[in-house]
Amino acid sequence: MPNAEELLRFLPEMILTLAAIFLMLWESRYDEHDERPGMPAAALIGLGLAAVASILAGAAPGSAFRNMLIVDSFATFFRLLVLAVGALAVLSASPFLRQRRAEGGEFYALLLLSLVGQSLMAASNELIMVFIGIEISSIASYVLAGYLRDDKRANESALKYFLLGSFATGFLLYGVSWIYGLTGTTNLNEIAAILGNADIAPNAMFSAVAAALMLAGLCFKVSAFPFQSWAPDVYQGAPTPVSAFLSAAPKAAAFATLLRVFFTAFEPVSDRWLPLLAAVALATMVIGNLAALWQTDVKRLLGYSSIANAGYVLVAVAAHSTLGISAVLFYLAVYAVMNFGAFAVVALLEGSELSDFHGLAKRQPVTAGLMAVFLASLIGLPLTAGFFGKFYIFKSAIDAELYWLAGLGLLTSAVAAFYYLRIIVVMYTKPVPEGRGEMAAPAASVQAALVFSAAVTIGLGVFPGWLLDWATRSSGLLR
Amino acid sequence: MLLAIALAMPFLGFLICLLAPRANPKTARAVALAAAGVALAASLGIAPEVMASPATLTQALSLNWIPYPPIHFSIGADGLSLWLVVATALLSLIAILVSGERPAQFFAWLLLLETAILGVFTAQDLFLFFVFFELTLVPCLFLMGQFGQDSGRASSTGATVKFFVYTFAGSVLMLAAITYLFLKSGTFDYQNILAQAQAGSFRLSPAEQLPLFLAFFLAFAVKTPLFPFHGWQADAYATAPSPLAIVMAGMMGKLGAYGLLRFCLPLFPSAARECAGWINGLALVAILYGGLVAIVQPNIKRLLAFSSLSHLGFIVLGIFSFHLNGLDGGAYQMVCHAITTGALFALTGFLEQRKGSAEIADFGGLATKTPWLATVFLVAVLASSGLPSLNNFVGEYLILQGAAFAGIGYAATAAIGVVLSAVYLLWMYQRTFLGARPEADTADLSGREMLAVAPLVLLMVWMGVASGSLLPPQSAVNQKILQQSKMNVEFRVAAPLPEAASGD
Amino acid sequence: MPQLTAVPLSWYLILSAILFALGIAGFVFRRNVITVFMSIELMLNAVNLSFVAFSHQLRQVDGQIYTFFVMVVAAAEAAVGLAIILTVFKNRQTLTIDEVSSLKN
Amino acid sequence: MDLIFFLLFASIAVGCGISLVVQKHPIASALSLIGVMGSLAVLYLLLGAEFIAAVQLIVYAGAIMVLFVFVIMLLNAAEEAPSRKTNWPSRLLGVPLLAVFVALLAYLFDKMSPSLGTVTFGAFTTGGKQIGRSLFNNYLLPFEVTSVLVLIAILGAIVLARKEID
Amino acid sequence: MPNQPDLQLWLIPVFPLIGAFLNGTLGRNWSKGLIAGVAIGASALSFVWVVKTLSALGQLDTAHVERYFTWIASGDLNVGFDLAVDRLSSVMLLVVTGVGTLIHVYAVGYMDHDKGFWRFFSYLNLFLFFMLILVLAQNFLLLFVGWEGVGLCSYLLIGFYFLEKYAGDAAKKAFVVNRVGDFGFSLAMLLMVVQFGSLDMTKVFTAAKAMPVEAQSGILTAIALLLVVGACGKSAQVPLYVWLPDAMAGPTPVSALIHAATMVTAGVYVVARSSEVFLKAPLAMEVVAVIGLLTAVVAALIGTAQNDIKKVFAYSTVSQLGYMFVGLGVGAFSAGIFHVVTHAFFKALLFLGAGSVIHALHGEQDLARMGGLRSKIPITYWTLMAAALAIAGVWPFAGFHSKDAILLAAHAHAPWMFWVGVVTAGLTAFYVFRAIFLCFFGEYRGHAHPHESPAIMYMPLVILALLSVAGGYLPIMDWIAPLFPEAHEAHDMTLVLISVGFGLAGILAAYYVYVLKPGTAEASAARLGGLYRAIANKFYVDEAYDAAIVHPLEQGSRAVLLHGVEQVVVEGGLKGTVAMVRGFGGLFRHLQGGNIRSYAVYALLGAVVFLGLMVAKGGSQ
């Protein structure tokens, strides 16, 4: 039987599940179109409790459930990150859904359950747990993407996400079966121990193939080239707050998994997959940024941007160093906030076309200003978090002597400035379109989410030190 | 500490104006004027201390900013930055003064721009330098995007995007190079790196220097701009609101030239010397090309843009002459050109206010109606075309002298640019102010406008006659830079130091 | 006949690979959404076979446990996946995957 | 005997697999899939996985596939119409890529086979007991967590399939 | 030099500067009397100060230098604000301030009706300031300040009537052509610093003196030739003379002061000043002489066919400047400078007289509409006649002395130069008297009511006439000769007679053609045909410049640079890069067709590539 300490390490997931069940039960008290004023708050409380539990669990690091889970500072960092994203998603989604008369306890429940999966992904020390974590997160996400079930685009988005996601899971699982067959274990540390021991290690080529299959699956989850095609379609079609969530939390968790699996289990064969990863990073940056140049739908554009950003993060992964890991953590946190902010602003508008942004600065100056902050951060302008995020990433690459990767990556990030900038420019220069008057101020919860995101974006842009410290303390994967 | 105030005041003003977007424009301008005024006073206040020991850095502030990698908010000034700081503060003040009734945001961005430019000139931490260098883009983005006007084929939106992406793309690689320097030296502190270089503990092989140098050079060449990286310039100047154009044309271009002088020469002496021939070639092309294209520009602002291209070519030529005269001339010309071009753009702004256009064809015969405007404009035009006893002449002469030491051919070619400057500037002046075009009544300079340009005109004369009062501190730093550019030089190709070449 | 009784394990693995490939083929070539989904199930079955085969090779029970979990996941996926297919059908009256392609550049 | 059984059911599995891919009607495909699953169950038995073989038939072939068939019937899915759009990537790249994929894997297994043993029926058999012991000891956490998965499945189905929001 | 008296040399230029500043800033609201008082006062004070300084300095055997403050200091280069007076500059100072003051006085009358009265005098004073800086400068860079400054004032004054397009054009042309000359001057300075490390005249000349004579070419020749380029611009020599005739667009006093008496002689002054350099560069000397001769002939020829009275005198100025160059080129520096002085007298007089005529005729400048004015404006007539005789080189007028000195030196140098010179002298006499005869003899052909100018205008004329008559006896050559090497000019009476004879012949020819037989001119013009047209059209030099330089420059800039390089290469390159990047992005865009099956194929492709790479790496550890 698990002892109390082990249960504590699993407490955040339990709290989230309980909160989800509570919300589902509460849902039965409402008619379909009733307002559900307390629910976002309840969800937030659940998230808050889970966060507290994560911190408590993080205070006493260790493994649990026969080494299935490992709660270390790395896991805690990601747990708190995805919980924060979840909180932002709740804040931004509730008015969005209310406006579409689609608010429901199920939504929040699904969101919380999805977070259970992501939280597990961050803390799994076992391939089977990784797999189940991914599936929990993914299946909940599929439903969230299709949550507005009368919306054709949302359906399509959900279908694509689901089919392609499952397809990729097949590869991931195949890779798991390989590595299991080769080593007889699925525990990450044990795999590493076997692969690292020349006497008992299987042929490195087989291990590498297993790694490649898993990498293919994980590349899908982080939307890296050439497994990125789903991302723009899904983000465009899904309800905007959901897109915001999807592009931040599951992706961060997938990176956590990627780092943990590859930097522990497959570390001994890193010389085989690292060059591949570096190439993938480059291709992802190039394709994400270049394809985004053509987009006129801002949601879709942000989808491509998320691909490009995944490419940046992969650069730091390919740096294969503790510094690189801390850069990954830092960037994922920063990206989550700034990207979420940008999506949240899109969620406020009538549509997501570039033309919907025309003259936003006149209609809603504060919102436009906040959007400008997020976009500036995505561009990577100084005094925003994105700047330091990119800096740390490319610094780690230069540190690892990946000069070409750093150089080309920086150039693509300059190209990226173009499409982000275009949004800022139309907000400030174009006249307000005919028939669009003043815009109502966003709901208080959205305002709170936006202001929080912007404050973090700027705050990290001025004082990135504390987060980097934290990220550095949480980056102890490589031995 | 005064320097810190000079940076802090505009930033404070920026925050106030930004956070009170609905403030009365008059109040906003008063706030902005006060902030910029204090900044100017403070920047003048540092002069005695800096001039007392111009070659060594007068550190104003060094705060730990980011623990790892250790980045410091470290600012300071020496003889090279001193006048650039003062000129920035002055031009910003003037830009605000001529701004008229504008929303609070407008002033906010102008003040942020001032802060950023001051930061570039004073940052002593390479990373901080880069931060300020990039930060200059933000206010320009908003000022051009929100307050710019379309001009001919160029829409303000397009010009904004072009300007931003071009200069941004140019500078990203510099960040990589800075990071590399950090990894090699363990610090971002510029003085520390130089000290290490002097001690021999920090050494870059020629093979390392070249890519690093090019990364820095590209950033600066785009910002300056140097031919053929000037594609953004004319549209940007033409569409920018004139207060921005004053600061942009006056100071922003100097960021690049300053960077070349401050960083490229001491850090990468071998690569800089190796590339000097090419760069001087580009500078010469810029001088002639800018001059020739300026002749046929139908718009005053565009003409001034190409004129700037030509003049900044001089500065680059001076810097890469590797002769003290050239360096001094380059440094001095940075300030001179700032003053002169600032004045020209301010005056063009006045013209634009009166006519709603900067097309030369829309003007003519103004001199009868606006004698003062015509006179001041003429002084600025003459200064810009290098009339002796006005400021630009001193800089240009020293540059040419430096270039002559590097090779008389350089000087001879560049001197053609001086001839051309007379051609395009006077022709523009003639078409704008002279002639017998019947004119509706046009107001002459108002008191406020006079107040705005008078200091510039006085400076043109002062700097032209009494360069002895301003040049020595710059020269002291330049001597040091020249010294540094001879340290630890390993040459891949046998490139003699120019001193040896002075005989031929 | 000892040769007749002992099947090389690699044959099971190759069978698993072939089935996996057939699953992919179904995904790539079939146009009916449900068939595509079934192809994914085929892929998962192929993986299961490989798990069980490895389990036999290693004389461990763990491989079979994985298979068990995969089945649970497959069941959950089936529920959600078919629900999604239902909503798509309700909105578009089609099950042809090529026609569910309005989100594109 | 083992070899014959293996070959027989492997052929059935492959045959049904091919049938799944080439059949135009979803019902036919579904039936083919059931065929694959059935033959896989036999192979599981051969591999000594009795419990899994049973679950394969009950859960997979029984429950899941019934769900599929049910949905196919519900939606009255007909034979695939000939495509109006040619899908160039799948047409051009599909077969070669699959061929390469299979070839690569076969090459790898071939390389691997010396280190792999052979399968003889009864050499290694696991029943429900071992499975259960393992499941509730070593794999307690995943087992518990799958409940979340099932919860999501229920929730998801409800969210997506209930009547429209108007 | 220790214990030099402090003579406040700086006051000499500063007086006019103050005048210019006062008139320029406040003059608009002042009465004309006050303006004129300030301007003349400034000029006169300057003159007085020059006289006072010179009297204090006495013999001036060595230059008197006063150093004020550092202007530009960079490394070894140190350029100060240093002024100096020596015998050469003393002559120039007297001419500039003296003649300048007279012209100021004259201008008060001439400009009486102009609205820009204050502006005019401000410019005029400013000009004096720069001219004095030019003359007083102890280093070349400071000289260059004056050099460019007078150019600026010339620009302002030529463009004084800026409402007229031709005035603006002429002003710009003057400035730009001068800039071409300045290009040479600047390069000369740059080379000086490279060679001598200084621009201080004493240092440069001392160093040059120590160097050997350069037989062919060398650094000194280069410097000298570049100085010649500068001098050609300022002193309107071939091929840069084209601006001077156009410069007559300015008010007449300006033509007299700047474009006859003072500024245009700056080139001559600089060459004389740099004699140490030139003496070491015989090639450059030769070039100077040839350019001078060519200029003298060409300008004189063109002068014979001009109908605008001021244009005639303008070409005459060009021609006379050519003489001065000849003088310099053949080594007769003191003769050249002497001619500068006498020319200042009679040419200023010619212009002021012409101004008086124009004033009398209410602005009429066309010789064809004059005639018979001898009796109507007698003072003007007589003074002009004195000037004409002086320029024609008739003994004992001033021009005779200086011109003969030059011609004799030319003969000593190369006889053919002498012969060209005397022929030109004949031509000069011809066209100057042509103007005189057309203007004052015969019947009046215009419609105005001529009246004599006021005293304020004719008093300067009278003074200048006296100087033109007697100026030849001023001991200027003796005063400055010690500055230069001994000129070996034999005083050959035959040659003197020849030259005077040519002059008289020219006068007689003019008298014949324009007074005795009016109409001969037209007939002979018709006979000469193409040659005459060429002369009348100034040998089409302006047109040639337009076609060869101005037009290609402008059109080339527009067509090749602006529409070619700028729009195609620079902007096009930018657009091309953008299009390339975007196009590359477009490739991926098309892959994203929305079809799930395609996406799966890409994923499969990726997986296969991943596997393939891993397998390709091979087995083993």
Side-chain angles (χ1 to χ4, degrees), chain A residues 86-406:
Chain A
L88 288 173
V90 169
L91 287 173
S92 136
S94 67
F96 182 87
L97 294 175
R98 220 167 274 171
Q99 200 185 346
R100 286 158 184 76
R101 303 169 64 94
E103 195 183 18
E106 302 95 340
F107 182 86
Y108 302 113
L110 280 167
L111 197 67
L112 296 185
L113 292 174
S114 162
L115 288 170
V116 171
Q118 285 140 24
S119 172
L120 281 175
M121 284 160 82
S124 304
N125 200 26
E126 250 281 339
L127 288 178
I128 201 71
M129 278 308 298
V130 165
F131 170 63
I132 292 177
I134 288 179
E135 282 304 308
I136 293 177
S137 157
S138 302
I139 295 179
S141 307
Y142 304 151
V143 181
L144 286 174
Y147 185 77
L148 292 177
R149 58 181 175 275
D150 300 326
D151 181 340
K152 270 191 178 183
R153 301 186 134 210
N155 299 150
E156 181 177 337
S157 154
L159 183 70
K160 279 183 172 165
Y161 198 15
F162 164 69
L163 286 177
L164 289 166
S166 309
F167 185 67
T169 307
F171 284 95
L172 179 76
L173 210 49
Y174 203 40
V176 173
S177 88
W178 267 68
I179 199 67
Y180 167 70
L182 290 170
T183 61
T185 177
T186 48
N187 183 286
L188 300 180
N189 298 330
E190 288 173 24
I191 294 172
I194 292 172
L195 292 186
N197 185 336
D199 298 333
I200 50 173
N203 189 328
M205 178 168 69
F206 302 144
S207 317
V209 166
L213 285 167
M214 285 199 69
L215 187 62
L218 286 173
C219 277
F220 175 88
K221 296 292 173 197
V222 303
S223 70
F225 180 82
F227 308 96
Q228 87 296 0
S229 348
W230 59 275
D233 292 10
V234 170
Y235 294 162
Q236 187 184 5
T240 312
V242 173
S243 308
F245 176 73
L246 292 184
S247 62
K251 196 172 259 190
F255 269 112
T257 306
L258 181 73
L259 284 172
R260 210 189 266 287
V261 171
F262 279 80
F263 281 24
T264 54
F266 290 117
E267 177 59 26
V269 289
S270 59
D271 59 323
R272 298 189 172 246
W273 48 263
L274 266 180
L276 178 63
L277 204 61
V280 168
L282 179 62
T284 309
M285 289 188 292
V286 169
I287 279 163
N289 280 323
L290 295 196
L293 292 177
W294 290 83
Q295 305 309 322
T296 55
D297 184 293
V298 176
K299 268 166 87 179
R300 194 168 178 82
L301 186 150
L302 288 172
Y304 278 108
S305 133
S306 85
I307 296 171
N309 280 286
Y312 302 145
V313 178
L314 283 173
V315 169
V317 177
H320 192 241
S321 61
T322 305
L323 205 68
I325 298 175
S326 63
V328 170
L329 302 197
F330 185 89
Y331 197 79
L332 285 173
V334 164
Y335 174 71
V337 174
M338 63 193 184
N339 182 57
F340 197 96
F343 267 115
V345 172
V346 180
L348 294 173
L349 301 180
E350 295 85 350
S352 59
E353 279 292 314
L354 200 55
S355 57
D356 292 309
F357 280 82
H358 284 194
L360 188 64
K362 293 195 188 68
R363 303 170 67 203
Q364 256 303 323
V366 178
T367 309
L370 293 171
M371 183 72 176
V373 170
F374 301 132
L375 292 170
S377 184
L378 284 165
I379 293 174
L381 287 179
L383 300 192
T384 61
F387 172 68
F388 281 107
K390 287 211 178 79
F391 169 63
Y392 291 136
I393 280 179
F394 290 113
K395 176 170 176 299
S396 68
I398 292 172
D399 234 352
E401 304 192 347
L402 295 170
Y403 304 125
W404 55 277
L405 193 57

Side-chain angles (χ1 to χ4, degrees), chain B residues 11-272:
Chain B
F11 190 71
L12 198 66
F14 157 69
L15 289 180
I16 294 173
C17 290
L18 188 75
L19 298 178
R22 307 239 185 260
N24 179 1
K26 284 218 173 78
T27 322
R29 194 169 79 181
V31 169
L33 276 177
V38 174
L40 178 60
S43 65
L44 282 171
I46 62 168
E49 196 186 343
V50 172
M51 286 174 82
S53 58
T56 52
L57 181 78
T58 305
Q59 188 88 32
L61 202 61
S62 181
L63 305 171
N64 288 338
W65 180 16
I66 294 162
Y68 187 84
I71 297 169
H72 299 271
F73 190 88
S74 160
I75 54 173
D78 62 5
L80 181 58
S81 28
L82 176 63
W83 302 126
L84 290 167
V85 167
V86 174
T88 308
L90 177 66
L91 281 189
S92 303
L93 183 65
I94 287 170
I96 293 166
L97 201 60
V98 303
S99 284
E101 301 258 310
R102 303 266 198 176
Q105 283 169 26
F106 186 85
F107 297 105
W109 296 125
L110 271 183
L111 288 169
L112 182 62
L113 183 60
E114 178 180 0
T115 314
I117 297 177
L118 288 175
V120 173
F121 288 137
T122 56
Q124 294 303 320
D125 182 294
L126 286 176
F127 191 88
L128 185 67
F129 168 78
F130 184 79
V131 166
F132 279 123
F133 192 78
E134 293 293 69
L135 193 61
T136 55
L137 296 180
V138 177
C140 292
L141 166 64
F142 285 98
L143 286 171
M144 284 174 68
Q146 213 172 347
F147 301 99
Q149 306 125 336
D150 295 353
S151 154
R153 285 182 301 120
S155 75
S156 71
T157 326
T160 311
V161 173
K162 185 154 82 168
F163 161 71
F164 190 99
V165 176
Y166 205 144
T167 49
F168 186 73
S171 54
V172 287
L173 286 181
M174 185 164 73
L175 182 60
I178 288 176
T179 311
Y180 187 86
L181 288 176
F182 167 73
L183 294 172
K184 284 283 280 194
S185 68
T187 177
F188 282 116
D189 184 51
Y190 186 52
Q191 299 300 332
N192 190 338
I193 294 178
L194 289 179
Q196 288 185 32
Q198 186 145 34
S201 57
F202 170 77
R203 239 178 137 88
L204 296 169
S205 73
E208 272 172 305
Q209 283 191 23
L210 192 62
L212 293 175
F213 172 77
L214 289 179
F216 271 78
F217 176 74
L218 183 68
F220 297 143
V222 172
K223 197 80 151 193
T224 303
L226 187 61
F227 183 91
F229 303 107
H230 64 278
W232 57 271
Q233 191 190 25
D235 285 353
Y237 287 8
T239 58
S242 61
L244 172 63
I246 294 172
V247 182
M248 212 166 158
M251 298 316 306
M252 289 265 287
K254 311 307 171 297
L255 302 187
Y258 171 81
L260 288 174
L261 182 53
R262 171 74 86 194
F263 298 109
C264 284
L265 259 51
L267 282 176
F268 321 111
S270 153

